[in-house]
Amino acid sequence: MNLLNKNNNISILIAGIIAVIIGLGITRFAFTSLLPPMIEGFLTVSFAGILASFNYIGYLSGSIFSMFIKDINKKVIFFRIGIILCLLTTIILGITENQTIWFIARLTAGISGALAFVVGSAIVMNKLNFQNKTKAMGIHFSGIGFSIFVTDIIARVVQNSGGSWKDSWIVLTIVTTILALYSMYILSFDKSIKVEKISTNFDKSLFTPFTIIIIISYFTMGIGFVVQATFLPDIINSIKDLEGYGSMTWTIVGLAGIPSCIIWMSLASKYGSVNIIIITMSLLAISILIPTVTSNIYLNLLSGVLYGGTFIALVGLFMNLGGKLAGKSPVVLMGAFTIANGIGQVIAPLYSVYFIEKFSSYNYALYLTSFIVFCGILLLFFSKTIMTEEQKKI
């Protein structure tokens, strides 16, 4: 097997997973992994929450921009720009504590992360030579779980070796720079690809009551996903008798996330997307509440398993459902899905900061988050009553 062959499916999948590790791992999830030591040495929880919102604003902006890059040759260019910016905005966090620079870096990291992940995923989809690309893309999206696990392990190894959180950012940059070279080489083409120009029309008929409910539910999922994605290690460390277990829980989140997309999407194809989304969102809501009701280590580790085993799959489930509903006009509808979810991700850290400052506890932020996810689940149950026969099949 020649892993330097740009057209080898295994090479493409490996390069794609590396792009996910860089686009989401070091620009988003490594921040969560390093949050406890950064809070001890530099950040406040409030500042961390605001930085998270800036990062999500950048990611939302980059995702929307990415959807309108039609030329596959331009996708390769923007993908490489995104990868390079991911690396630059990561090493900055290891060499300065200037708050203004951190704001700019986290915003830019969000934009570049979207270019690396969203555009990179589009290139992977274009290059793969599989009859069933859905299963192959399930393998690709398992990279989200890998991105949590790999960046967390690197950060922990550095700190266990006596390094600081700053050293972790620098080592993460060095390691991923080496990986990035392979990813940028494989996810490219030997010659320019001819692309037909496709016009994008706004089709109002796509926005049926059923579709609008699904979009709103995806908004609630964005809120449900992001509070733990930002604060989980510190949430666990703040529970009495669980100090120091935050990092272990976050590692478990990554491990649980690796197979989740493949498993849940396979079930969705058999039992229906809406039915499986209801189940996964219910498990997500439970995972959010567990740290508020118990200090039992095993139940809180279970919370990590339930969280990691659902949130990654939910992105795939919702986007797959949205793609099927969009038919031949995916850009506008998928854009609406992305915006709704992105707004949820921006809002959640901000209200979390308010509740944490007011009550000196994460509990109230978690109560509200779980309640919002529960509302999304109720909407999904209602959507089943207005589904057409055709929609029931997806």
Side-chain angles (χ1 to χ4, degrees):
M1 184 190 302
N2 182 7
L3 292 180
L4 292 177
N5 182 351
K6 291 183 180 181
N7 300 311
N8 181 293
N9 284 327
I10 302 299
S11 301
I12 295 165
L13 286 171
I14 292 172
I17 289 172
I18 289 171
V20 178
I21 291 171
I22 296 170
L24 292 183
I26 66 167
T27 65
R28 177 178 291 201
F29 295 127
F31 190 89
T32 308
S33 178
L34 288 167
L35 186 60
M38 289 194 298
I39 286 176
E40 286 180 13
F42 166 51
L43 293 179
T44 62
V45 173
S46 300
F47 187 41
I50 294 168
L51 286 172
S53 284
F54 266 67
N55 184 254
Y56 300 143
I57 289 169
Y59 184 82
L60 174 59
S61 304
S63 296
I64 295 169
F65 173 75
S66 299
M67 295 181 71
F68 290 92
I69 307 171
K70 297 301 178 188
D71 189 320
I72 190 66
N73 304 296
K74 288 183 180 177
K75 285 182 190 288
V76 172
I77 294 170
F78 280 107
F79 169 69
R80 290 177 171 177
I81 291 171
I83 291 287
I84 292 167
L85 286 176
C86 286
L87 300 170
L88 290 175
T89 55
T90 301
I91 199 166
I92 282 174
L93 305 184
I95 58 178
T96 180
E97 292 185 11
N98 183 287
Q99 291 193 359
T100 303
I101 293 175
W102 273 57
F103 274 121
I104 296 169
R106 295 309 292 159
L107 180 66
T108 307
I111 297 169
S112 59
L115 291 175
F117 174 59
V118 179
V119 178
S121 298
I123 297 170
V124 169
M125 174 69 90
N126 185 278
K127 286 179 68 72
L128 281 174
N129 185 26
F130 277 119
Q131 199 167 16
N132 188 342
K133 288 192 178 183
T134 302
K135 288 184 178 179
M137 290 307 288
I139 296 171
H140 171 68
F141 287 122
S142 70
I144 301 175
F146 276 112
S147 74
I148 296 173
F149 180 71
V150 171
T151 54
D152 181 60
I153 290 298
I154 293 171
R156 288 175 67 178
V157 167
V158 172
Q159 290 171 81
N160 290 339
S161 301
S164 66
W165 58 264
K166 289 184 177 182
D167 298 324
S168 295
W169 285 119
I170 293 169
V171 172
L172 278 166
T173 307
I174 294 169
V175 173
T176 49
T177 296
I178 297 167
L179 296 175
L181 295 173
Y182 180 78
S183 187
M184 288 192 289
Y185 171 73
I186 296 295
L187 298 184
S188 62
F189 300 91
D190 293 322
K191 58 183 179 180
S192 293
I193 307 296
K194 286 188 177 180
V195 181
E196 292 181 15
K197 288 189 176 181
I198 302 171
S199 58
T200 303
N201 299 316
F202 182 80
D203 186 358
K204 289 183 181 178
S205 66
L206 291 173
F207 291 86
T208 63
F210 172 76
T211 303
I212 291 170
I213 288 172
I214 298 300
I215 290 171
I216 296 171
S217 297
Y218 196 37
F219 161 78
T220 67
M221 180 266 158
I223 287 178
F225 145 65
V226 84
V227 174
Q228 286 168 296
T230 305
F231 300 112
L232 183 60
D234 200 54
I235 290 171
I236 300 300
N237 286 342
S238 68
I239 299 171
K240 188 180 178 183
D241 300 325
L242 296 187
E243 298 88 347
Y245 283 100
S247 293
M248 182 192 298
T249 309
W250 187 242
T251 304
I252 288 173
V253 168
L255 286 172
I258 291 170
S260 66
C261 207
I262 299 169
I263 294 169
W264 288 112
M265 288 189 75
S266 296
L267 290 171
S269 65
K270 188 174 182 180
Y271 298 106
S273 295
V274 174
N275 293 327
I276 297 303
I277 289 172
I278 288 171
I279 293 170
T280 48
M281 282 189 68
S282 298
L283 294 174
L284 176 64
I286 292 168
S287 77
I288 294 166
L289 280 178
I290 287 175
T292 70
V293 297
T294 180
S295 61
N296 182 282
I297 178 59
Y298 298 107
L299 288 175
N300 278 282
L301 291 176
L302 175 63
S303 170
V305 172
L306 294 178
Y307 173 64
T310 55
F311 88 88
I312 296 170
L314 279 166
V315 174
L317 288 166
F318 270 106
M319 295 306 280
N320 184 54
L321 176 58
K324 289 178 178 178
L325 293 171
K328 295 181 180 179
S329 306
V331 173
V332 173
L333 188 55
M334 298 301 275
F337 271 71
T338 301
I339 291 168
N341 187 260
I343 291 172
Q345 292 185 39
V346 171
I347 291 171
L350 297 178
Y351 75 64
S352 297
V353 165
Y354 169 78
F355 282 120
I356 293 163
E357 287 188 337
K358 187 173 178 64
F359 298 104
S360 300
S361 168
Y362 283 102
N363 284 1
Y364 292 93
L366 295 172
Y367 293 147
L368 178 57
T369 302
S370 186
F371 173 74
I372 292 170
V373 174
F374 180 71
C375 290
I377 295 167
L378 291 179
L379 284 172
L380 288 168
F381 274 111
F382 176 71
S383 77
K384 289 171 64 67
T385 67
I386 60 172
M387 290 172 74
T388 65
E389 287 301 316
E390 201 169 307
Q391 289 165 343
K392 288 177 182 178
K393 296 175 184 177
I394 58 175

